[in-house]
Amino acid sequence: MTGGFAFRGVVRTAAAVLAIAALLALGSLLPQSNPLSVSPFVVTLAGKYLAYAMLALAVDLVWGFVGILTLGHAAFFALGGYAMGMYLVREIGARGVYGNPDLPDFMVFLSWKALPWYWWGSDHFVVAAVLVLAVPGALAALFGWLAFRSRVGGVYLSIITQALTYALMLAFFQNGLGFGGNNGLTDFKDVLGFDLHRPATRAALLMISALVLAGAMLATRALVGGRFGRLLIAVRDAESRTRFLGYRPDQVKLLVWVVSALIAAVGGALYVLQVGIINPGEFAPANSIESVIWVAVGGRGTLSGAVMGAVLVNLGKTLFTAWLPELWLYGLGALFIATTLFLPQGLMGLGRHLVRRRAEVTPEITRPAGDAA
């Protein structure tokens, strides 16, 4: 697949995301008696799928283009969510159960006397937005610098990334850390003064999520589409040879790793705005493993496939858990095995195969011999 065609594919996928989100957002603003009306539940689900698509895009960037099989990207996703959740909790103010304008309800319940220093400024949206990027970005930079500088790779790196997110999950379960413990952060009421439960706010959040996802897709495609993209493929396929040519694979990996973490963190922030809760369960290693399955199903190293895989698999999860909830995990495992065995390039690879096969079997239409012009 040529670079130009690949770029057009990403543009088409981004345009489709915006178009579908716009239709759902407009439908949610129609009266419920209108046959074209869309329920708030569907709007929330769509927004959650788009947030997950951001996580899948982040995983595809490091796995598909640099060959880093990450099993811990849920850590950056959850940290971004907690940073946004801190702001949303502070936005509640005196409207909480205990009426304390300075401390969130869970801190009052646990007899906290003052706000921890790492919560300072979290009642401002700008500070929260900076934290969404700064905290996961700093963690990714530190982790990546230590791992890539030591030339840790392969299955060892995958295990370390999984250990990272598991350690964070255990830490955030502790009440003493100051993030709500097992219950996490919830009961959000508004953002920037807009009621989170109003249909107009939900529609706006869906469109914002679609715009951010489309922008992330185009920015990521620009990153991997030129000479730097070819360098990423070289690092993935022949790291030793790339190092011999004078490049620094550790620095290349670190840069892409941090960018990927930032994309995942923004997805986590959007996720919290859509679903209205963030708890330590979002750090669970199973969430990182699921994101790898999304990318594998859609097509590793395609960007568009990662987005498609995240949306389709989570849509299937929603339907499957409603019909046969006890069988969902078996179905997910079977889907991953079937994709590995029969669709190693995912749905995007299947689509390219069908297009190529159609082009091969379509006879060329020519003018019969001797036919006059």
Side-chain angles (χ1 to χ4, degrees):
M1 184 170 60
T2 63
F5 181 78
F7 182 76
R8 290 194 298 272
V10 172
V11 172
R12 283 195 294 267
T13 304
V17 167
L18 291 173
I20 294 173
L23 290 175
L24 293 176
L26 291 175
S28 69
L29 299 178
L30 297 175
Q32 294 185 356
S33 58
N34 192 305
L36 298 179
S37 176
V38 177
S39 71
F41 176 73
V42 173
V43 173
T44 300
L45 273 182
K48 184 171 72 171
Y49 295 162
L50 296 183
Y52 283 151
M54 291 284 291
L55 175 58
L57 185 68
V59 172
D60 191 31
L61 179 60
V62 294
W63 186 32
F65 293 91
V66 196
I68 302 173
L69 177 56
T70 171
L71 298 179
H73 254 53
F76 308 123
F77 183 85
L79 286 174
Y82 265 98
M84 180 57 65
M86 292 166 65
Y87 162 74
L88 295 175
V89 165
R90 295 293 305 281
E91 187 80 353
I92 296 173
R95 292 172 293 171
V97 174
Y98 297 99
N100 192 310
D102 301 317
L103 297 179
D105 284 339
F106 72 88
M107 290 187 182
V108 178
F109 178 78
L110 295 173
S111 300
W112 287 62
K113 302 302 181 183
L115 201 67
W117 64 266
Y118 44 85
W119 277 76
W120 293 349
S122 58
D123 54 335
H124 300 287
F125 183 82
V126 174
V127 174
V130 171
L131 291 176
V132 166
L133 298 176
V135 175
L139 177 63
L142 177 60
F143 177 88
W145 183 78
L146 292 173
F148 302 138
R149 181 171 175 267
S150 303
R151 300 187 183 181
V152 178
V155 66
Y156 301 104
L157 181 60
S158 299
I159 293 174
I160 293 174
T161 59
Q162 190 172 67
L164 171 67
T165 188
Y166 187 70
L168 287 171
M169 182 184 71
L170 295 179
F172 274 76
F173 266 119
Q174 304 300 315
N175 287 326
L177 192 62
F179 290 103
N182 182 61
N183 296 321
L185 308 177
T186 187
D187 196 28
F188 310 134
K189 301 184 183 303
D190 49 44
V191 54
L192 293 174
F194 296 97
D195 187 353
L196 283 172
H197 303 289
R198 290 184 56 202
T201 306
R202 310 301 301 174
L205 288 174
L206 177 60
M207 283 306 305
I208 291 172
S209 299
L211 287 169
V212 172
L213 175 58
M217 291 181 66
L218 297 178
T220 305
R221 183 61 188 86
L223 178 67
V224 302
R227 294 181 58 186
F228 186 73
R230 290 192 289 272
L231 176 59
L232 297 182
I233 301 302
V235 171
R236 183 193 68 187
D237 296 339
E239 181 174 343
S240 298
R241 187 174 299 178
T242 306
R243 183 179 292 107
F244 178 76
L245 293 174
Y247 292 99
R248 293 287 303 273
D250 56 324
Q251 295 182 357
V252 173
K253 288 181 177 181
L254 179 60
L255 173 61
V256 177
W257 180 260
V258 172
V259 171
S260 175
L262 295 178
I263 294 174
V266 173
L270 293 173
Y271 172 84
V272 170
L273 289 169
Q274 306 288 343
V275 303
I277 186 173
I278 182 71
N279 58 48
E282 298 302 331
F283 286 100
N287 292 345
S288 295
I289 296 173
E290 280 195 34
S291 67
V292 171
I293 296 177
W294 304 338
V295 175
V297 170
R300 172 188 171 192
T302 62
L303 301 181
S304 293
V307 172
M308 292 172 53
V311 173
L312 293 177
V313 173
N314 280 285
L315 177 60
K317 180 179 181 179
T318 300
L319 299 176
F320 210 94
T321 51
W323 299 333
L324 297 169
E326 66 278 2
L327 297 179
W328 161 245
L329 290 179
Y330 297 102
L332 183 64
L335 176 64
F336 184 61
I337 294 173
T339 300
T340 304
L341 293 177
F342 305 110
L343 291 175
Q345 295 180 335
L347 295 176
M348 292 294 290
L350 176 63
R352 290 197 299 268
H353 173 72
L354 293 176
V355 171
R356 185 164 54 247
R357 184 174 180 180
R358 181 180 178 184
E360 291 174 354
V361 301
T362 301
E364 181 179 359
I365 300 177
T366 58
R367 188 180 303 278
D371 190 13

